[in-house]
């Protein structure tokens, strides 16, 4: 059964600094997703990563996938206060008992300070 | 384009009662998924419906059930409510099996007292 672990779970950043959130998963996963959640709100889709070596960027966020290492990263460049939120990674599968479902990591609570 | 809509936004029920939560997917999406986000337990998969059929089910007791209607909307029923069922219930929709992404609704906050 797929297990997904994120670290760190809490991240306090200064504005303008760079940092990376790591997402490790336990077994083969065909696809990896990143979501953002603001307090009391739903999940906003950030990235969908479907192949080894995939890299996607949107604004100050960049996500990558290394299926051999079973690792995805979310890199934050020059953080701004608006990026404060909880970030989740989630693994999916094209078959087996995990077909169609997302297995989420614990979430990383990101706080950006002036 | 309207997003995934869920109703009601909030629901308060007494232990032992039944709760019904509703979800309308994005137009063109045939799959609907239900997730529970409980404090301290994270986001857990409940159910996946596609074309009216249950395709996958998470590790939840049978008192959690649902269905999908011909217009692809879905409802989640929780029978014999327990205090620990208090959570945010999120619905998501996708084309097919979600390979290219899932869109989540704003959720229903269920409180069991």
């Amino acid at each position: 059964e797929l297990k997904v672990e994120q670290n760190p779970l809490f991240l306090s950043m200064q504005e303008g600094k760079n940092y990376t959130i790591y997402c490790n998963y336990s077994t083969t996963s065909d696809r990896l997703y990143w979501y953002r959640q603001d307090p009391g709100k739903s999940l906003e889709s950030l990235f969908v990563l479907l192949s080894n070596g995939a890299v996607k960027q949107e604004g100050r966020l960049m996500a990558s996938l290394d299926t051999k290492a079973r690792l995805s990263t979310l890199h934050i460049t020059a953080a701004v206060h608006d990026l404060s939120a909880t970030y989740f990674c989630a693994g999916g599968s094209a078959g087996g008992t995990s077909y169609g479902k997302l297995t989420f990591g614990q979430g990383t609570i990101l706080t950006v300070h002036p | 384009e309207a997003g995934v809509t869920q109703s009601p936004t909030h629901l308060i029920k007494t232990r032992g009662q039944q709760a019904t939560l509703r979800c309308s997917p994005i137009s063109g999406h045939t799959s609907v998924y239900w997730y529970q986000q409980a404090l301290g337990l994270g986001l857990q998969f409940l159910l996946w419906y596609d074309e009216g059929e249950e395709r996958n089910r998470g590790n939840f007791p049978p008192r959690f059930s649902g269905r999908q209607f011909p217009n692809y909307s879905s409802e989640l029923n929780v029978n014999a409510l327990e205090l620990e069922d208090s959570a945010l219930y999120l619905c998501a929709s996708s084309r097919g099996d979600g390979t290219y992404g899932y869109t989540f609704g704003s959720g229903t906050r269920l409180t069991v007292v």
Side-chain angles (χ1 to χ4, degrees), chain A residues 79-100:
Chain A
V80 293
H81 180 71
D82 285 353
L83 290 178
S84 297
T86 300
Y87 292 84
F88 291 94
C89 65
S93 177
T97 57
S98 295
Y99 183 39

Side-chain angles (χ1 to χ4, degrees), chain A residues 1 13 20-21 37 41 50 55-57 61 66 71 78 81 89 91:
Chain A
E1 184 179 320
M13 294 179 66
T20 301
I21 299 171
Q37 187 177 37
K41 305 284 188 180
L50 299 178
V55 177
K56 291 196 175 179
Q57 182 162 6
L61 301 178
D66 181 344
L71 171 69
H81 180 71
C89 65

Side-chain angles (χ1 to χ4, degrees), chain B residues 21-65:
Chain B
L21 289 63
R22 295 181 176 83
C23 172
S24 292
I26 287 175
S27 178
H29 287 189
T30 60
S31 280
V32 171
Y33 310 78
W34 289 95
Y35 287 83
Q36 182 196 66
Q37 187 174 28
L39 207 58
L41 294 178
L43 280 149
Q44 297 185 80
F45 169 75
L46 270 163
L47 290 158
W48 169 28
Y49 291 96
D50 180 47
E51 299 283 1
E53 300 286 331
E54 183 181 299
R55 302 293 185 188
N56 203 350
R57 182 183 179 85
N59 295 325
F60 282 84
R63 57 191 187 81
F64 286 83
S65 65

Side-chain angles (χ1 to χ4, degrees), chain B residues 71-93:
Chain B
N71 67 353
Y72 303 113
S73 67
S74 174
E75 66 179 31
L76 174 70
N77 294 294
V78 188
N79 294 319
L81 284 164
E82 300 179 1
L83 296 178
E84 49 266 36
D85 296 334
S86 295
L88 180 66
Y89 289 83
L90 293 168
C91 172
S93 73

